[in-house]
Amino acid sequence: FTTGNLNPFVGGYAEQEGSSNRVALRAKSELSASLPWAPVPEGLTNKPFGEYVGDVGFDPLGFARNKRLLPWYREAELAHGRVCMLAVLGYTVQTSGAKWEPFI
């Protein structure tokens, strides 16, 4: 009762049953973290904070098999994501009807 939290599901007074940790159990298995029914694809490690941040074993098309081009694929994805963000901003500004005086 010293924490002030009486909820047994969020770390209050109830004891945990065993030492089962979902993250630890998922790391031990050979299944993908993103698709729990599928195995980890070849070329990925299933470690979210490993060599590539966000590597949770999601590669349905098998791009990660080519280790030499994987950094290039990553940079291309970042560049395309940035272009898409600018496109959404431009679309939003145009559809809102905003006008700036010198560009009427």
Side-chain angles (χ1 to χ4, degrees):
F1 295 128
T2 59
T3 62
N5 186 3
L6 300 178
N7 188 348
F9 301 107
V10 188
Y13 58 88
E15 294 288 327
Q16 287 186 348
E17 297 177 9
S19 62
S20 63
N21 185 355
R22 284 185 167 180
V23 176
L25 289 175
R26 186 177 291 150
K28 290 179 185 176
S29 70
E30 293 298 324
L31 296 177
S32 171
S34 61
L35 300 172
W37 59 87
V40 176
E42 179 185 343
L44 295 178
T45 59
N46 206 24
K47 296 178 186 173
F49 299 108
E51 182 180 356
Y52 289 106
V53 175
D55 177 10
V56 290
F58 184 76
D59 186 25
L61 299 177
F63 289 126
R65 279 182 275 188
N66 190 345
K67 285 289 197 181
R68 195 176 65 120
L69 287 178
L70 193 58
W72 186 81
Y73 290 148
R74 181 178 180 269
E75 293 298 322
E77 184 177 1
L78 289 173
H80 290 123
R82 291 173 182 151
V83 168
C84 289
M85 286 188 276
L86 286 173
V88 168
L89 176 67
Y91 176 78
T92 306
V93 168
Q94 287 180 358
T95 57
S96 70
K99 295 188 183 241
W100 285 274
E101 200 57 41
F103 304 108
I104 295 179

